[in-house]
PDB file of all heavy atoms in Angstrom:
ATOM      1  N   LEU A1830      10.585  14.131  -2.004  1.00 96.00           N
ATOM      2  CA  LEU A1830      12.006  14.281  -1.799  1.00 96.00           C
ATOM      3  C   LEU A1830      12.470  15.596  -2.293  1.00 96.00           C
ATOM      4  O   LEU A1830      12.097  16.170  -3.359  1.00 96.00           O
ATOM      5  CB  LEU A1830      12.616  13.187  -2.750  1.00 96.00           C
ATOM      6  CG  LEU A1830      13.951  12.569  -2.209  1.00 96.00           C
ATOM      7  CD1 LEU A1830      13.911  11.968  -0.842  1.00 96.00           C
ATOM      8  CD2 LEU A1830      14.448  11.487  -3.272  1.00 96.00           C
ATOM      9  N   ASP A1831      13.485  16.272  -1.525  1.00 96.00           N
ATOM     10  CA  ASP A1831      14.012  17.464  -1.975  1.00 96.00           C
ATOM     11  C   ASP A1831      15.115  17.154  -3.165  1.00 96.00           C
ATOM     12  O   ASP A1831      15.612  16.043  -3.175  1.00 96.00           O
ATOM     13  CB  ASP A1831      14.805  18.139  -0.830  1.00 96.00           C
ATOM     14  CG  ASP A1831      13.889  18.567   0.214  1.00 96.00           C
ATOM     15  OD1 ASP A1831      12.702  18.962  -0.160  1.00 96.00           O
ATOM     16  OD2 ASP A1831      14.172  18.456   1.403  1.00 96.00           O
ATOM     17  N   GLU A1832      15.280  18.084  -3.984  1.00 95.00           N
ATOM     18  CA  GLU A1832      16.062  17.993  -5.157  1.00 95.00           C
ATOM     19  C   GLU A1832      17.488  17.446  -4.839  1.00 95.00           C
ATOM     20  O   GLU A1832      17.971  16.496  -5.498  1.00 95.00           O
ATOM     21  CB  GLU A1832      16.271  19.372  -5.798  1.00 95.00           C
ATOM     22  CG  GLU A1832      16.790  19.425  -7.198  1.00 95.00           C
ATOM     23  CD  GLU A1832      15.802  18.725  -8.209  1.00 95.00           C
ATOM     24  OE1 GLU A1832      14.686  18.887  -8.081  1.00 95.00           O
ATOM     25  OE2 GLU A1832      16.367  18.051  -9.091  1.00 95.00           O
ATOM     26  N   GLU A1833      18.110  17.902  -3.719  1.00 96.00           N
ATOM     27  CA  GLU A1833      19.461  17.499  -3.349  1.00 96.00           C
ATOM     28  C   GLU A1833      19.516  15.949  -2.955  1.00 96.00           C
ATOM     29  O   GLU A1833      20.642  15.470  -2.911  1.00 96.00           O
ATOM     30  CB  GLU A1833      20.054  18.399  -2.277  1.00 96.00           C
ATOM     31  CG  GLU A1833      19.566  18.131  -0.848  1.00 96.00           C
ATOM     32  CD  GLU A1833      18.669  19.152  -0.320  1.00 96.00           C
ATOM     33  OE1 GLU A1833      18.003  19.896  -1.064  1.00 96.00           O
ATOM     34  OE2 GLU A1833      18.569  19.238   0.889  1.00 96.00           O
ATOM     35  N   ASP A1834      18.348  15.390  -2.643  1.00 98.00           N
ATOM     36  CA  ASP A1834      18.313  13.960  -2.197  1.00 98.00           C
ATOM     37  C   ASP A1834      18.035  12.988  -3.320  1.00 98.00           C
ATOM     38  O   ASP A1834      17.887  11.854  -3.046  1.00 98.00           O
ATOM     39  CB  ASP A1834      17.346  13.794  -1.083  1.00 98.00           C
ATOM     40  CG  ASP A1834      17.727  14.664   0.152  1.00 98.00           C
ATOM     41  OD1 ASP A1834      18.813  14.689   0.436  1.00 98.00           O
ATOM     42  OD2 ASP A1834      16.799  15.268   0.759  1.00 98.00           O
ATOM     43  N   MET A1835      17.871  13.549  -4.490  1.00 97.00           N
ATOM     44  CA  MET A1835      17.640  12.679  -5.621  1.00 97.00           C
ATOM     45  C   MET A1835      18.882  12.096  -6.195  1.00 97.00           C
ATOM     46  O   MET A1835      19.587  12.809  -6.886  1.00 97.00           O
ATOM     47  CB  MET A1835      16.906  13.481  -6.785  1.00 97.00           C
ATOM     48  CG  MET A1835      15.549  13.993  -6.318  1.00 97.00           C
ATOM     49  SD  MET A1835      14.332  13.583  -7.584  1.00 97.00           S
ATOM     50  CE  MET A1835      12.982  14.431  -6.918  1.00 97.00           C
ATOM     51  N   PHE A1836      19.089  10.817  -5.914  1.00 98.00           N
ATOM     52  CA  PHE A1836      20.356  10.214  -6.411  1.00 98.00           C
ATOM     53  C   PHE A1836      20.026   9.479  -7.675  1.00 98.00           C
ATOM     54  O   PHE A1836      20.982   8.749  -8.261  1.00 98.00           O
ATOM     55  CB  PHE A1836      20.933   9.246  -5.350  1.00 98.00           C
ATOM     56  CG  PHE A1836      21.139   9.927  -4.034  1.00 98.00           C
ATOM     57  CD1 PHE A1836      20.486   9.636  -2.874  1.00 98.00           C
ATOM     58  CD2 PHE A1836      22.163  10.935  -3.972  1.00 98.00           C
ATOM     59  CE1 PHE A1836      20.734  10.296  -1.729  1.00 98.00           C
ATOM     60  CE2 PHE A1836      22.444  11.627  -2.797  1.00 98.00           C
ATOM     61  CZ  PHE A1836      21.717  11.277  -1.655  1.00 98.00           C
ATOM     62  N   ILE A1837      18.782   9.523  -8.206  1.00 98.00           N
ATOM     63  CA  ILE A1837      18.458   8.923  -9.383  1.00 98.00           C
ATOM     64  C   ILE A1837      17.286   9.700  -9.985  1.00 98.00           C
ATOM     65  O   ILE A1837      16.524  10.338  -9.197  1.00 98.00           O
ATOM     66  CB  ILE A1837      17.975   7.460  -9.127  1.00 98.00           C
ATOM     67  CG1 ILE A1837      17.738   6.616 -10.390  1.00 98.00           C
ATOM     68  CG2 ILE A1837      16.751   7.429  -8.249  1.00 98.00           C
ATOM     69  CD1 ILE A1837      17.455   5.090 -10.031  1.00 98.00           C
ATOM     70  N   ASP A1838      17.142   9.733 -11.310  1.00 97.00           N
ATOM     71  CA  ASP A1838      16.046  10.428 -11.942  1.00 97.00           C
ATOM     72  C   ASP A1838      14.819   9.756 -11.747  1.00 97.00           C
ATOM     73  O   ASP A1838      14.767   8.488 -11.703  1.00 97.00           O
ATOM     74  CB  ASP A1838      16.285  10.632 -13.461  1.00 97.00           C
ATOM     75  CG  ASP A1838      17.371  11.632 -13.699  1.00 97.00           C
ATOM     76  OD1 ASP A1838      17.534  12.542 -12.818  1.00 97.00           O
ATOM     77  OD2 ASP A1838      18.036  11.627 -14.782  1.00 97.00           O
ATOM     78  N   PRO A1839      13.645  10.420 -11.623  1.00 98.00           N
ATOM     79  CA  PRO A1839      12.350   9.783 -11.510  1.00 98.00           C
ATOM     80  C   PRO A1839      12.155   8.897 -12.771  1.00 98.00           C
ATOM     81  O   PRO A1839      12.640   9.152 -13.824  1.00 98.00           O
ATOM     82  CB  PRO A1839      11.338  10.918 -11.493  1.00 98.00           C
ATOM     83  CG  PRO A1839      12.068  12.158 -11.145  1.00 98.00           C
ATOM     84  CD  PRO A1839      13.532  11.941 -11.606  1.00 98.00           C
ATOM     85  N   ALA A1840      11.305   7.850 -12.529  1.00 98.00           N
ATOM     86  CA  ALA A1840      10.967   7.016 -13.832  1.00 98.00           C
ATOM     87  C   ALA A1840      10.018   7.706 -14.659  1.00 98.00           C
ATOM     88  O   ALA A1840       9.661   8.875 -14.364  1.00 98.00           O
ATOM     89  CB  ALA A1840      10.375   5.709 -13.208  1.00 98.00           C
ATOM     90  N   ASP A1841       9.696   7.178 -15.816  1.00 97.00           N
ATOM     91  CA  ASP A1841       9.011   7.897 -16.865  1.00 97.00           C
ATOM     92  C   ASP A1841       7.710   7.092 -17.173  1.00 97.00           C
ATOM     93  O   ASP A1841       7.463   6.947 -18.379  1.00 97.00           O
ATOM     94  CB  ASP A1841      10.011   7.940 -18.049  1.00 97.00           C
ATOM     95  CG  ASP A1841       9.481   8.883 -19.011  1.00 97.00           C
ATOM     96  OD1 ASP A1841       8.644   9.735 -18.685  1.00 97.00           O
ATOM     97  OD2 ASP A1841       9.856   8.744 -20.294  1.00 97.00           O
ATOM     98  N   THR A1842       6.932   6.726 -16.182  1.00 97.00           N
ATOM     99  CA  THR A1842       5.683   6.127 -16.487  1.00 97.00           C
ATOM    100  C   THR A1842       4.573   7.035 -16.430  1.00 97.00           C
ATOM    101  O   THR A1842       4.784   8.271 -16.136  1.00 97.00           O
ATOM    102  CB  THR A1842       5.411   4.902 -15.501  1.00 97.00           C
ATOM    103  OG1 THR A1842       4.957   5.597 -14.195  1.00 97.00           O
ATOM    104  CG2 THR A1842       6.537   4.071 -15.246  1.00 97.00           C
ATOM    105  N   ASP A1843       3.263   6.689 -16.825  1.00 96.00           N
ATOM    106  CA  ASP A1843       2.206   7.634 -16.658  1.00 96.00           C
ATOM    107  C   ASP A1843       1.694   7.851 -15.226  1.00 96.00           C
ATOM    108  O   ASP A1843       0.776   8.664 -15.025  1.00 96.00           O
ATOM    109  CB  ASP A1843       0.952   7.001 -17.449  1.00 96.00           C
ATOM    110  CG  ASP A1843       1.197   7.109 -18.905  1.00 96.00           C
ATOM    111  OD1 ASP A1843       2.132   7.925 -19.321  1.00 96.00           O
ATOM    112  OD2 ASP A1843       0.582   6.352 -19.637  1.00 96.00           O
ATOM    113  N   GLU A1844       2.365   7.189 -14.299  1.00 95.00           N
ATOM    114  CA  GLU A1844       1.930   7.251 -12.954  1.00 95.00           C
ATOM    115  C   GLU A1844       2.978   7.977 -12.062  1.00 95.00           C
ATOM    116  O   GLU A1844       4.063   7.395 -11.839  1.00 95.00           O
ATOM    117  CB  GLU A1844       1.687   5.923 -12.346  1.00 95.00           C
ATOM    118  CG  GLU A1844       0.816   5.810 -11.222  1.00 95.00           C
ATOM    119  CD  GLU A1844      -0.655   6.259 -11.482  1.00 95.00           C
ATOM    120  OE1 GLU A1844      -1.435   5.529 -12.063  1.00 95.00           O
ATOM    121  OE2 GLU A1844      -0.945   7.358 -11.111  1.00 95.00           O
ATOM    122  N   ASP A1845       2.682   9.258 -11.747  1.00 95.00           N
ATOM    123  CA  ASP A1845       3.760  10.057 -11.010  1.00 95.00           C
ATOM    124  C   ASP A1845       4.149   9.333  -9.722  1.00 95.00           C
ATOM    125  O   ASP A1845       5.332   9.516  -9.245  1.00 95.00           O
ATOM    126  CB  ASP A1845       3.194  11.419 -10.689  1.00 95.00           C
ATOM    127  CG  ASP A1845       3.442  12.345 -11.933  1.00 95.00           C
ATOM    128  OD1 ASP A1845       4.255  11.919 -12.709  1.00 95.00           O
ATOM    129  OD2 ASP A1845       2.758  13.370 -12.036  1.00 95.00           O
ATOM    130  N   VAL A1846       3.240   8.774  -9.071  1.00 95.00           N
ATOM    131  CA  VAL A1846       3.529   8.102  -7.719  1.00 95.00           C
ATOM    132  C   VAL A1846       4.623   7.118  -7.975  1.00 95.00           C
ATOM    133  O   VAL A1846       5.630   6.987  -7.290  1.00 95.00           O
ATOM    134  CB  VAL A1846       2.277   7.428  -7.162  1.00 95.00           C
ATOM    135  CG1 VAL A1846       2.529   6.527  -6.006  1.00 95.00           C
ATOM    136  CG2 VAL A1846       1.325   8.490  -6.651  1.00 95.00           C
ATOM    137  N   VAL A1847       4.532   6.331  -9.011  1.00 97.00           N
ATOM    138  CA  VAL A1847       5.504   5.240  -9.384  1.00 97.00           C
ATOM    139  C   VAL A1847       6.914   5.931  -9.639  1.00 97.00           C
ATOM    140  O   VAL A1847       7.996   5.573  -9.264  1.00 97.00           O
ATOM    141  CB  VAL A1847       5.069   4.379 -10.517  1.00 97.00           C
ATOM    142  CG1 VAL A1847       6.094   3.371 -10.923  1.00 97.00           C
ATOM    143  CG2 VAL A1847       3.832   3.621 -10.051  1.00 97.00           C
ATOM    144  N   ASN A1848       6.767   6.983 -10.472  1.00 98.00           N
ATOM    145  CA  ASN A1848       8.081   7.730 -10.907  1.00 98.00           C
ATOM    146  C   ASN A1848       8.783   8.270  -9.692  1.00 98.00           C
ATOM    147  O   ASN A1848       9.993   8.175  -9.595  1.00 98.00           O
ATOM    148  CB  ASN A1848       7.613   8.900 -11.804  1.00 98.00           C
ATOM    149  CG  ASN A1848       6.951   8.375 -13.101  1.00 98.00           C
ATOM    150  OD1 ASN A1848       6.966   7.215 -13.395  1.00 98.00           O
ATOM    151  ND2 ASN A1848       6.304   9.298 -13.788  1.00 98.00           N
ATOM    152  N   ARG A1849       8.069   8.831  -8.751  1.00 97.00           N
ATOM    153  CA  ARG A1849       8.647   9.396  -7.507  1.00 97.00           C
ATOM    154  C   ARG A1849       9.194   8.260  -6.630  1.00 97.00           C
ATOM    155  O   ARG A1849      10.266   8.436  -5.933  1.00 97.00           O
ATOM    156  CB  ARG A1849       7.680  10.228  -6.707  1.00 97.00           C
ATOM    157  CG  ARG A1849       7.345  11.513  -7.346  1.00 97.00           C
ATOM    158  CD  ARG A1849       6.658  12.421  -6.333  1.00 97.00           C
ATOM    159  NE  ARG A1849       5.488  11.935  -5.839  1.00 97.00           N
ATOM    160  CZ  ARG A1849       4.197  12.087  -6.259  1.00 97.00           C
ATOM    161  NH1 ARG A1849       4.082  12.763  -7.385  1.00 97.00           N
ATOM    162  NH2 ARG A1849       3.176  11.533  -5.696  1.00 97.00           N
TER     163      ARG A1849
END
Side-chain angles (χ1 to χ4, degrees):
L1830 209 56
D1831 293 326
E1832 198 62 38
E1833 79 252 23
D1834 298 318
M1835 294 229 187
F1836 303 115
I1837 188 174
D1838 286 335
D1841 190 22
T1842 73
D1843 287 340
E1844 203 63 82
D1845 275 343
V1846 166
V1847 174
N1848 300 344
R1849 289 196 301 270

